[in-house]
Amino acid sequence: MINLKIDPEFQSQIPPLTDDEFKQLEENILKEGKLLSPLIVWNNTLVDGHNRYAILQKHPEIYFSTMPLPFESREEVLAWICKNQLGRRNLTPEQKLFLIGKQYEAERAEHGCTRDDVQRTNGQFSRSSQNGNSGESIKTCERIAKENGVSKNTVLRASKYMKGVEIAEEMMPGLKQSILSGQTKVSKADMHRLAKAAYYDRTQILQDILHPELKVEPKPDADGVIRVSGKAPVMPFRKFESVYDSDAYPEDVRYEYVALEELTTRFRISFNYQLEQMPDNAQRDVILEIIHKHKDYLASLEAALADVKDQTA
């Protein structure tokens, strides 16, 4: 019997069979006395047919064949696996969304895309030297959307969802299967939030997602400041109505616009608060030093965004 290599990443993209499905597959193979379809391999690594190969190891007398495919990279293999699995009819909505996101990211990585429009280098933003890849990324998104009968925005959201699920799996092995099978209920927004979270915030965020009943919202002090042990205090901030929270802007990016406006407003209010609370000149000098440290970064970001806008106009 040929011994094939099992790549954990390749295998993890394939939704596992239930016990009953695996038993039925085994019975069918034993009845036929051979595998009707060849196992797909890349070099000597199994790409498709993991469940059938597991059965073959239990019954080495069963005849089987392999079909090598000429993949050029791991990313190409991953994209093929996802596309092949998306052709199945018995996927859960969660599995389908995950596979769409995984295929999109695998194909982007294959083309060398790390950002759609700009890349960050040493704290500065500039036009990517791989601008051709930006167009390739857009074409990839459009093609995958068409193949699966969804919108381009769904593909982009699927990418964020997939990343959130993979982070959850890293933190708690077995959680991916539980989420994708529908056993553990989490929202797409929850996975997006986990995908975008800073590394040191992931544990608390995942805890809040899985056990919302345990989440305790911190309460502001008498002066309106929210203080949490181990974190910088949150200054008083009054909610405001954003002009970007309207039907005039696409729903899938509306949240990002509002969040950015809120961030810049918090920045202004927080610094005003600090200046009022710290009249000492030495303390003011430190605050100004912090501001100036990021002036060049903000200027370069503004220039990069304007540059991309000019090129796409």
Side-chain angles (χ1 to χ4, degrees):
M1 179 177 177
I2 302 174
N3 289 321
L4 300 176
K5 294 179 181 178
I6 303 297
D7 186 293
E9 186 178 16
F10 295 167
Q11 186 178 24
S12 68
Q13 310 311 318
I14 301 173
L17 299 178
T18 64
D19 292 341
D20 288 342
E21 290 171 336
F22 188 89
K23 183 178 180 181
Q24 183 61 57
L25 177 61
E26 184 175 17
E27 290 176 356
N28 293 341
I29 291 175
L30 292 175
K31 182 178 179 181
E32 294 290 341
K34 63 179 180 179
L35 283 189
L36 299 180
S37 300
L39 301 176
I40 306 299
V41 298
W42 177 45
N43 298 325
N44 197 44
T45 300
L46 185 60
V47 172
D48 184 63
H50 291 80
N51 292 303
R52 288 175 290 154
Y53 186 63
I55 293 171
L56 290 172
Q57 290 179 307
K58 294 172 60 180
H59 305 280
E61 73 279 4
I62 298 295
Y63 171 80
F64 73 99
S65 61
T66 62
M67 178 185 291
L69 291 183
F71 299 112
E72 295 184 359
S73 66
R74 290 183 59 84
E75 290 75 21
E76 188 178 353
V77 176
L78 284 168
W80 186 93
I81 291 173
C82 293
K83 186 174 182 178
N84 186 55
Q85 290 300 313
L86 283 165
R88 294 172 53 177
R89 296 184 180 181
N90 58 338
L91 295 174
T92 66
E94 293 84 2
Q95 287 170 338
K96 181 175 181 180
L97 195 65
F98 179 91
L99 288 169
I100 288 174
K102 190 69 176 183
Q103 181 185 350
Y104 174 62
E105 288 301 326
E107 292 197 27
R108 289 181 71 239
E110 184 184 355
H111 295 304
C113 302
T114 55
R115 281 182 181 266
D116 286 343
D117 297 311
V118 293
Q119 69 177 18
R120 184 174 180 176
T121 306
N122 296 327
Q124 302 295 316
F125 276 85
S126 61
R127 280 192 301 118
S128 172
S129 59
Q130 300 174 332
N131 273 337
N133 289 335
S134 175
E136 190 68 35
S137 181
I138 294 172
K139 291 178 183 178
T140 298
C141 181
E142 292 174 341
R143 175 175 51 76
I144 293 175
K146 185 176 181 180
E147 289 173 353
N148 292 280
V150 298
S151 68
K152 291 182 292 183
N153 289 330
T154 296
V155 175
L156 297 175
R157 288 194 292 267
S159 172
K160 294 180 182 178
Y161 176 82
M162 178 274 296
K163 290 176 183 176
V165 172
E166 288 195 334
I167 290 171
E169 174 68 13
E170 289 176 9
M171 300 176 66
M172 193 177 296
L175 189 54
K176 172 185 172 182
Q177 170 57 20
S178 184
I179 291 173
L180 298 186
S181 67
Q183 182 178 352
T184 297
K185 301 295 183 182
V186 298
S187 69
K188 299 181 186 69
D190 284 337
M191 293 298 97
H192 293 181
R193 182 158 57 101
L194 186 59
K196 294 190 293 184
Y199 181 82
Y200 49 79
D201 287 332
R202 289 176 179 177
T203 300
Q204 184 60 55
I205 289 175
L206 185 59
Q207 170 76 4
D208 293 343
I209 290 172
L210 297 178
H211 302 286
E213 72 282 359
L214 301 179
K215 185 176 181 180
V216 178
E217 295 292 343
K219 296 181 179 180
D221 294 341
D223 58 359
V225 178
I226 297 176
R227 292 180 170 85
V228 178
S229 177
K231 294 189 176 182
V234 178
M235 302 306 161
F237 181 74
R238 182 176 299 174
K239 282 193 172 183
F240 64 96
E241 296 294 330
S242 174
V243 296
Y244 302 107
D245 192 14
S246 72
D247 293 336
Y249 300 93
E251 184 177 356
D252 60 298
V253 294
R254 196 181 303 164
Y255 170 81
E256 306 293 344
Y257 293 161
V258 174
L260 182 58
E261 184 183 24
E262 180 177 350
L263 176 66
T264 53
T265 303
R266 277 184 179 274
F267 177 87
R268 175 175 53 81
I269 292 178
S270 293
F271 271 101
N272 286 342
Y273 179 86
Q274 292 290 348
L275 290 172
E276 291 173 359
Q277 298 298 316
M278 298 182 177
D280 183 85
N281 287 337
Q283 293 171 329
R284 286 172 176 261
D285 288 342
V286 173
I287 294 175
L288 290 171
E289 178 185 344
I290 294 172
I291 294 174
H292 286 293
K293 186 186 299 183
H294 298 287
K295 279 182 64 178
D296 290 341
Y297 163 74
L298 293 173
S300 66
L301 175 58
E302 183 178 13
L305 292 173
D307 192 19
V308 171
K309 181 179 178 182
D310 291 340
Q311 295 223 359
T312 57

